Amino acid sequence: MNSILGINSIRFFVLLLVQVIICSNINFLGYINPYVYIIFIFLFPIRENRMILLISSFLLGMLIDMFLDSGGVNAAASVVLAYTRPILLKTSFGMLYEHQSIKFSNTEIGSLITYITFGTLIHHLVLFSLEIFNISSILLILKKTLFSSIFTIILSILIIILFSRNKK
Amino acid sequence: MQQIINFVIRNKTFLLFLFLFSVALALTIQSHSYHRSKFINSANGITGGLYSLSNSIDKYFNLQKENEILSEENKQLRETLFNLKSSANNSSIDTSYSDKIYKVFTADVYKNSYSLTNNYLTINKGKNDSIKQDFGVITSKGIIGIVDNLSGNYATVLSILSKKSRINAKLNTSNHIGSLTWDGDSPKIVQLIDVSKFAPVKVGDTIVTGGQSAIFPKGIGIGSVDSFETDISGDTYTIQVKLFNDMSSIGTVYILENRDRKEIIDLENNSDE
């Protein structure tokens, strides 16, 4: 229990720092940035209370917003992702989720990719819709969502695979 | 009563989600109106401290470039100084400009964003350095934005790359004015709207600040005309302005205080009544 708490708090702060100092300054092709902090929400232990997940993802999003001066955009997107997580888990892992026995370090890579892809798309769609906040620039929203998602998905999967292999 | 409590307990996750989401949404909506993002911004001790740490490392990689900009600016200043001397010798000094209207501060940029819809910079001067809201921020090449939120030692600057920002600007060659806005697309191009269709616009013309807002003095460079077209109503031009500043690489900025600002605003308020 204690080690779970420790690992998750370390992950919280490391991802916050990485996001704010490195990932938000990449600006690939002028506007594409990965949002890797959502790995925290993806990897949050499944058996823990959902209320804690909601509150901690809200806090993480709010801190990111504070650094990036973006109002409450990241907080809103993270909370949506945290709330929809069980549905995503169910669709991508199926039976494993029913038995509450998912270990992210040794799941099939296919289901992991599905899980991360859908989660990232939901998060980024909410994020950019709120950030641009104008239904008439829907094309801009979709463009930003698509390109940033590709970047985030690749980076997230790489990070998850790299760090889970080390621990084994 | 029992049923209500049961309902709350059964749906506690959903209710918490709803609550947190509406808080975030409220903050988002608030941040979309100018000067309202009071609570969540990067002008505070924690974020400022972290950005100052990362900036102190980052700075070394740009020293060469900063030096070039400084020497270029030195050259320009020297030129104006020598020209001024020679003209001062020939004519009597204009007494109306003997008091300096604008006071200049320098600051380092700790954080700069240019890929969002509303972009902010964080700089290392704040209330303790007598910086106030609505001071103008420029570099040697042109304007950057307007001071928005302040803490003791840090301030956020609303960049011209923002849908909220509207800055008074004019053509260098004539006095036709317009407002500078941004469509959120490219960080190199901003839009000058509401320019009268009688204005003599040519591609390559310089756009400068109009000096009607008491934030920026008249004649600070903004950019050059990239292309222009009449807008839907046909009465005004919308001009695409290519910025002089590279907004993605800003190291040191100047903050301008207009000492007559209060007087001008008071006067304008009085005449409105």
Side-chain angles (χ1 to χ4, degrees):
Chain A
M1 178 59 211
N2 239 343
S3 77
I4 290 177
L5 183 70
I7 286 174
N8 276 289
S9 353
I10 293 171
R11 200 182 276 150
F12 186 98
F13 287 109
V14 168
L15 283 173
L16 175 67
L17 290 183
V18 167
Q19 178 65 48
V20 169
I21 297 177
I22 303 171
C23 287
S24 292
N25 291 318
I26 292 180
N27 292 315
F28 182 62
L29 297 183
Y31 61 92
I32 304 172
N33 278 328
Y35 290 85
V36 294
Y37 72 92
I38 52 175
I39 295 176
F40 172 79
I41 305 169
F42 285 137
L43 293 189
F44 195 82
I46 290 158
R47 262 162 284 181
E48 292 295 319
N49 194 340
R50 278 182 69 196
M51 313 277 279
I52 300 173
L53 173 62
L54 276 176
I55 292 170
S56 54
S57 32
F58 178 77
L59 277 180
L60 181 60
M62 185 81 352
L63 283 170
I64 301 264
D65 279 328
M66 206 178 253
F67 277 102
L68 301 183
D69 290 299
S70 47
V73 178
N74 284 293
S78 314
V79 170
V80 170
L81 177 59
Y83 186 72
T84 52
R85 199 179 79 134
I87 305 165
L88 292 171
L89 282 167
K90 208 176 279 175
T91 47
S92 40
F93 293 102
M95 283 308 282
L96 274 176
Y97 175 66
E98 305 281 323
H99 296 130
Q100 305 260 308
S101 60
I102 305 173
K103 278 227 154 119
F104 291 109
S105 48
N106 50 19
T107 44
E108 268 182 67
I109 189 83
S111 347
L112 187 72
I113 292 177
T114 335
Y115 171 51
I116 305 250
T117 307
F118 283 117
T120 310
L121 282 175
I122 291 173
H123 176 271
H124 283 27
L125 191 62
V126 176
L127 180 73
F128 290 119
S129 313
L130 287 180
E131 186 192 299
I132 295 167
F133 217 64
N134 188 349
I135 203 77
S136 63
S137 15
I138 184 111
L139 274 177
L140 185 66
I141 296 175
L142 292 178
K143 192 175 81 178
K144 277 191 153 186
T145 309
L146 181 67
F147 290 126
S148 292
S149 294
I150 295 172
F151 207 169
T152 313
I153 291 164
I154 294 172
L155 263 184
S156 310
I157 291 173
L158 282 180
I159 291 173
I160 291 174
I161 290 175
L162 272 178
F163 282 87
S164 63
R165 287 287 182 272
N166 277 353
K167 267 178 224 149
K168 257 204 275 186
Chain B
M1 193 63 200
Q2 187 72 35
Q3 274 184 332
I4 295 174
I5 294 171
N6 273 341
F7 174 80
V8 170
I9 291 173
R10 240 183 309 127
N11 293 312
K12 62 180 191 289
T13 322
F14 180 69
L15 290 175
L16 182 70
F17 162 71
L18 221 56
F19 169 71
L20 293 177
F21 188 73
S22 28
V23 171
L25 205 61
L27 287 168
T28 307
I29 292 168
Q30 205 182 33
S31 80
H32 277 277
S33 54
Y34 184 56
H35 278 175
R36 289 284 167 75
S37 43
K38 281 279 179 293
F39 309 106
I40 308 296
N41 62 63
S42 64
N44 65 49
I46 308 164
T47 53
L50 184 67
Y51 278 136
S52 94
L53 189 70
S54 80
N55 182 59
S56 63
I57 299 165
D58 202 42
K59 230 173 165 177
Y60 288 101
F61 297 103
N62 296 321
L63 275 182
Q64 177 88 34
K65 206 172 161 194
E66 277 303 301
N67 271 336
E68 277 164 20
I69 294 171
L70 277 181
S71 60
E72 179 66 25
E73 196 184 348
N74 257 338
K75 201 187 84 188
Q76 279 177 8
L77 287 178
R78 242 166 235 283
E79 268 168 23
T80 34
L81 186 68
F82 290 141
N83 291 335
L84 206 66
K85 262 187 194 158
S86 54
S87 66
N89 286 338
N90 294 338
S91 61
S92 60
I93 298 160
D94 189 350
T95 47
S96 63
Y97 287 105
S98 60
D99 282 334
K100 275 183 262 163
I101 301 176
Y102 285 93
K103 193 179 170 190
V104 182
F105 306 85
T106 61
D108 280 347
V109 174
Y110 276 1
K111 188 211 88 183
N112 178 21
S113 74
Y114 49 89
S115 58
L116 306 174
T117 332
N118 290 309
N119 292 293
Y120 289 87
L121 297 91
T122 307
I123 55 175
N124 69 339
K125 288 278 160 72
K127 275 181 204 147
N128 298 348
D129 309 284
S130 62
I131 307 291
K132 293 198 187 69
Q133 205 169 55
D134 284 335
F135 281 10
V137 178
I138 62 169
T139 67
S140 49
K141 287 184 192 160
I143 63 168
I144 297 290
I146 298 169
V147 174
D148 191 16
N149 276 298
L150 293 140
S151 69
N153 294 313
Y154 305 100
T156 56
V157 177
L158 181 68
S159 162
I160 44 172
L161 299 182
S162 166
K163 290 202 167 179
K164 286 190 251 173
S165 125
R166 276 183 162 256
I167 290 168
N168 173 268
K170 73 178 191 71
L171 296 170
N172 199 14
T173 46
S174 68
N175 274 323
H176 290 93
I177 56 155
S179 345
L180 205 65
T181 56
W182 189 50
D183 61 2
D185 201 17
S186 159
K188 292 192 179 75
I189 308 278
V190 294
Q191 284 71 37
L192 184 65
I193 57 165
D194 295 341
V195 182
S196 154
K197 68 173 174 184
F198 301 112
V201 189
K202 281 200 297 289
V203 172
D205 273 0
T206 308
I207 305 290
V208 295
T209 51
Q212 295 194 345
S213 62
I215 295 176
F216 294 106
K218 199 172 180 173
I220 293 181
I222 296 173
S224 57
V225 176
D226 195 47
S227 64
F228 61 95
E229 55 190 5
T230 46
D231 76 336
I232 307 157
S233 64
D235 292 332
T236 55
Y237 281 128
T238 298
I239 304 177
Q240 306 286 329
V241 182
K242 196 169 185 305
L243 289 172
F244 290 142
N245 267 320
D246 178 3
M247 292 301 284
S248 57
S249 145
I250 299 164
T252 314
V253 293
Y254 300 104
I255 306 165
L256 302 178
E257 173 184 3
N258 185 347
R259 295 186 174 178
D260 292 345
R261 178 181 160 73
K262 200 173 169 297
E263 197 178 324
I264 294 171
I265 287 173
D266 285 348
L267 186 66
E268 280 174 357
N269 285 345
N270 283 341
S271 18
D272 280 347
E273 278 163 14

